[in-house]
Amino acid sequence: MERPLTRNIHPNRPPLTLKEYEMAGGYLAVKKALSIPPKEIIDLVKESNLKGRGGAGFNTGMKWSFVPYGENSPATKYLVANADEMEPGTFKDRLLLEGNPHQLIEGMIVAAYAIGATTGYVFLRYAYKEAAVKITNAINEAYNAGYLGFNILGSGYNLQMHLHTGVGRYMCGEETALLNALEGKRATPRAKPPFPQISGLFGKPTIVNNVETLCNIPHIINNGADWFKNLSYSEDGGTKLYGVSGRVKHPGCWELPMGISIRELIEEYAGGMQDGYRFRGVLPGGASTDFLVEQHLDIKMDFKSVAMAGSRLGTGTMIVLDDKTCPVGFVHNLQQFFAHESCGWCTPCREGLPWVEKILWSIEQGQGKPGDLDLLDQHAKLLGPGNTFCALAPGAAEPLQSALKYFREDFERHIRNKQCPYD
Amino acid sequence: MLSTEEIKEIDHEISLVPYKKAACIEAMKIVQRNRGWISDDALKAIADYLEMSTAELDSVATFYNLIFRKPVGRHIILVCDSITCWIMDYKALYIAIQKQLNIKFGETTTDGKFTLLPNACLGCCDHAPTMLIDDDLYRNINADELEMILNRYE
């Protein structure tokens, strides 16, 4: 089984230096890409069917193709690596950032060249201190070797790259809010259109891609679209970094073919549930996805299959709910997070999420009222897609609505017995 | 108010962006790194230097979780309170910290040594529960090890 993204990542040693990375085939993709017209690179990435690994799952090559190109396009364009991984339950990009920073930088150089960007940013969350050091080192090494800066490898192409560390706000992961943060503003989302591909950072065409997405690029350039598609067990190309956390025997993160089943991930890779605990449900792709339950264990973890089961692949990092953990408390913890991290820009999110959080807290404390579940059902709809400015509140509504569907008896029991049955 | 060193660093950040104001978060990070927090005087000095109003800069400062507008201790403890750490009983760790330091979330010890803050997912869900003290990440923490960990800090 091929593992292109993690092949050169060794947990017990520092990441490859530039020299070691080159010995392992690193930066060959940059050399190759700089000799190909940018449009051909975009077509190759489109053809590979690489879908954005940040959660939305949009075709990456297609996204790049929306950037204006040619003589009449703006001279300044930007590429941003979204390394603001702050979704609860998600810990995949940390592995790539700390384990092989040159792979990300190489992917960024190729992506920037493809869209004609002359400046690249790595937008890194504050908590990833080790990654900050390693990326800074790797950027410096890449400048010294002529992979960054002016006239890269004699091609005439110029690219500057900067590391920007955030100051803590989940909203920064939303691409337009991230751009506001990079401009020194509050990280509130922007209205679309115009899309960032046309008017992004400082009003210039900008592509924001997830770290894992960008790390795939060098391998697609080196090996081709068909190779990439064949890595997968599903119609989505490539491998995927999957993670499992919660009360399983061996929580962890693994690179596996896109489309592996939930059962295989939990039972084989994560070693099954810890002794004394039974599986009750799972958020398949981070905190903002719908619960799936036992009947879904054989679902394939790819964008379409998980969507057909009523949830989202999201970041591919799953959080397991066991039979001794209270589903109401679980959802309360999530809503507390979303309510705190709401940027306050639009009313349903700013007002609705704290309300939901308070209702769940009172239910958990044994002070729930019979009408509370209707109110929560109503909120789950009102906070859903189409009613808010960005995807934060709809994301928060996903675990809530699915918990009300699959674990309703737990909510009712709390209200009926005026206490949490799990205490 | 701003030191020569700080101004030099802020000028470098300004050189990387199209207009001064865009460097405001970086400027606050620089000052906070030196002084621990952003006082009203520091806020005004940064705003003046970047030719923006203090109100505008304060609106940015207060938006972000880790720009401190109140004095903090010499060391910042960030305890992950997000979902996987919650499942894996981060509360036992929190209670142990409360007992040891006699502070709750949002508070600073009377000797000014530690400030304790809750933190959204630290991205180590496979090693829950976790906490970050300054630049040091602690994973799979057992509440019994806490005293030993805290004693490392002066």
Side-chain angles (χ1 to χ4, degrees):
Chain A
M1 199 185 297
E2 282 193 89
R3 294 189 169 94
L5 297 176
T6 53
R7 189 174 55 216
N8 294 314
I9 295 177
H10 306 287
N12 298 320
R13 55 148 292 173
L16 302 185
T17 61
L18 184 126
K19 283 276 161 288
E20 291 165 336
Y21 184 66
E22 284 176 327
M23 299 258 289
Y27 287 106
L28 282 177
V30 168
K31 288 172 189 152
K32 192 171 170 187
L34 291 175
S35 65
I36 305 174
K39 191 176 175 310
E40 282 181 31
I41 296 175
I42 295 178
D43 287 343
L44 175 67
V45 174
K46 213 188 279 182
E47 170 63 25
S48 75
N49 206 13
L50 168 65
K51 291 182 177 171
R53 304 299 201 231
F58 191 77
N59 182 299
T60 303
M62 189 77 83
K63 188 173 180 178
W64 294 0
S65 71
F66 298 145
V67 174
Y69 206 88
E71 283 176 13
N72 297 324
S73 70
T76 306
K77 295 181 222 172
Y78 295 100
L79 174 83
V80 183
N82 186 345
D84 193 61
E85 184 167 67
M86 212 168 147
E87 168 99 347
T90 297
F91 52 102
K92 68 183 181 69
D93 292 338
R94 182 192 275 274
L95 182 73
L96 298 170
L97 291 159
E98 291 176 357
N100 195 356
H102 277 296
Q103 180 173 247
L104 170 67
I105 291 162
E106 184 175 17
M108 288 180 71
I109 297 169
V110 176
Y113 170 75
I115 61 162
T118 50
T119 305
Y121 286 95
V122 179
F123 191 107
L124 181 73
R125 68 171 297 192
Y126 64 95
Y128 284 8
K129 309 277 186 180
E130 193 182 330
V133 173
K134 288 174 173 167
I135 289 165
T136 304
N137 289 343
I139 289 177
N140 289 339
E141 281 188 313
Y143 267 110
N144 291 337
Y147 294 118
L148 287 173
F150 294 102
N151 192 19
I152 296 171
L153 306 177
S155 65
Y157 174 60
N158 308 324
L159 178 65
Q160 305 300 320
M161 195 174 290
H162 310 292
L163 171 68
H164 174 96
T165 47
V167 268
R169 203 66 203 243
Y170 175 61
M171 271 309 298
C172 295
E174 200 274 342
E175 68 175 356
T176 60
L178 180 151
L179 298 176
N180 277 338
L182 266 179
E183 291 184 9
K185 297 172 181 161
R186 291 167 78 99
T188 49
R190 297 176 180 176
K192 292 188 273 193
F195 285 87
Q197 293 93 317
I198 307 297
S199 176
L201 188 62
F202 301 115
K204 306 293 183 193
T206 305
I207 285 289
V208 181
N209 281 146
N210 171 260
V211 167
E212 187 185 348
T213 310
L214 287 162
C215 287
N216 275 298
I217 301 299
H219 306 291
I220 293 171
I221 300 295
N222 286 332
N223 302 300
D226 286 337
W227 167 86
F228 188 74
K229 280 191 272 195
N230 286 336
L231 292 174
S232 168
Y233 290 165
S234 81
E235 63 180 41
D236 301 328
T239 58
K240 175 81 193 76
L241 288 186
Y242 293 105
V244 181
S245 68
R247 294 219 180 263
V248 289
K249 283 200 178 103
H250 309 296
C253 183
W254 310 275
E255 182 182 7
L256 295 162
M258 178 69 96
I260 195 158
S261 76
I262 297 175
R263 186 186 298 279
E264 219 172 330
L265 274 163
I266 294 178
E267 292 180 2
E268 286 186 31
Y269 289 90
M273 299 303 290
Q274 286 180 6
D275 293 337
Y277 293 90
R278 277 185 43 239
F279 172 89
R280 269 204 90 188
V282 62
L283 299 183
S288 58
T289 57
D290 288 83
F291 276 101
L292 294 177
V293 291
E294 200 149 9
Q295 75 202 58
H296 301 115
L297 281 174
D298 292 310
I299 296 288
K300 284 160 72 172
M301 283 285 281
D302 61 60
F303 289 101
K304 193 172 160 188
S305 307
V306 181
M308 281 174 66
S311 187
R312 289 189 309 117
L313 179 70
T315 60
T317 38
M318 50 177 71
I319 310 152
V320 174
L321 169 70
D322 59 80
D323 64 334
K324 293 193 169 62
T325 296
C326 174
V328 178
F330 188 109
V331 178
H332 172 258
N333 176 277
L334 296 176
Q335 301 304 323
Q336 199 173 26
F337 165 80
F338 288 115
H340 184 266
E341 293 299 323
S342 168
C343 74
W345 188 247
C346 72
T347 314
C349 185
R350 182 182 64 242
E351 304 294 328
L353 288 173
W355 191 351
V356 166
E357 191 266 319
K358 286 193 178 81
I359 296 169
L360 289 166
W361 178 242
S362 67
I363 295 175
E364 184 66 357
Q365 294 303 303
Q367 294 157 11
K369 296 182 212 64
D372 281 352
L373 297 190
D374 294 336
L375 209 49
L376 287 174
D377 280 329
Q378 203 181 354
H379 275 299
K381 285 190 191 74
L382 291 172
L383 291 167
N387 298 326
T388 58
F389 207 78
C390 82
L392 187 139
E398 289 182 30
L400 174 65
Q401 71 189 8
S402 50
L404 287 165
K405 179 173 157 192
Y406 293 119
F407 312 120
R408 200 167 190 94
E409 169 55 24
D410 280 286
F411 286 81
E412 285 167 352
R413 199 143 53 107
H414 275 75
I415 296 173
R416 209 169 44 235
N417 298 349
K418 298 191 188 313
Q419 62 174 14
C420 172
Y422 293 83
D423 278 345
Chain B
M1 174 69 194
L2 297 174
S3 71
T4 319
E5 255 321 292
E6 284 169 338
I7 287 176
K8 199 175 143 196
E9 278 191 70
I10 293 170
D11 281 343
H12 171 69
E13 294 301 330
I14 291 172
S15 76
L16 300 176
V17 286
Y19 46 86
K20 280 185 170 182
K21 213 158 80 169
C24 76
I25 295 174
E26 292 301 322
M28 289 192 286
K29 273 159 63 181
I30 290 163
V31 173
Q32 184 165 291
R33 197 172 62 232
N34 290 331
R35 303 162 189 232
W37 65 296
I38 304 291
S39 65
D40 287 351
D41 289 344
L43 188 84
K44 184 169 185 324
I46 299 167
D48 287 348
Y49 195 72
L50 298 176
E51 294 167 17
M52 58 199 292
S53 74
T54 41
E56 188 180 5
L57 185 62
D58 201 21
S59 81
V60 177
T62 53
F63 185 85
Y64 292 99
N65 296 330
L66 291 162
I67 295 290
F68 304 131
R69 290 285 283 114
K70 285 204 294 188
V72 290
R74 294 193 294 284
H75 306 286
I76 308 287
I77 307 175
L78 298 175
V79 176
C80 180
D81 65 349
S82 284
I83 189 63
T84 303
C85 285
W86 178 85
I87 295 171
M88 304 307 282
D89 200 15
Y90 90 94
K91 275 202 175 135
L93 173 66
Y94 177 46
I95 290 165
I97 297 175
Q98 278 182 309
K99 270 195 191 148
Q100 175 102 13
L101 300 177
N102 201 23
I103 49 171
K104 292 183 186 148
F105 279 140
E107 295 178 349
T108 300
T109 50
T110 46
D111 60 0
K113 191 166 164 186
F114 291 109
T115 293
L116 179 62
L117 296 171
N119 187 82
C121 189
L122 283 167
C124 298
C125 316
D126 48 345
H127 298 284
T130 61
M131 70 176 175
L132 190 69
I133 304 183
D134 301 336
D135 290 350
D136 310 322
L137 180 65
Y138 296 96
R139 314 186 298 175
N140 299 317
I141 315 163
N142 183 328
D144 299 340
E145 304 163 327
L146 188 70
E147 191 174 350
M148 193 184 68
I149 293 172
L150 294 178
N151 283 341
R152 290 177 195 161
Y153 296 87
E154 282 307 317

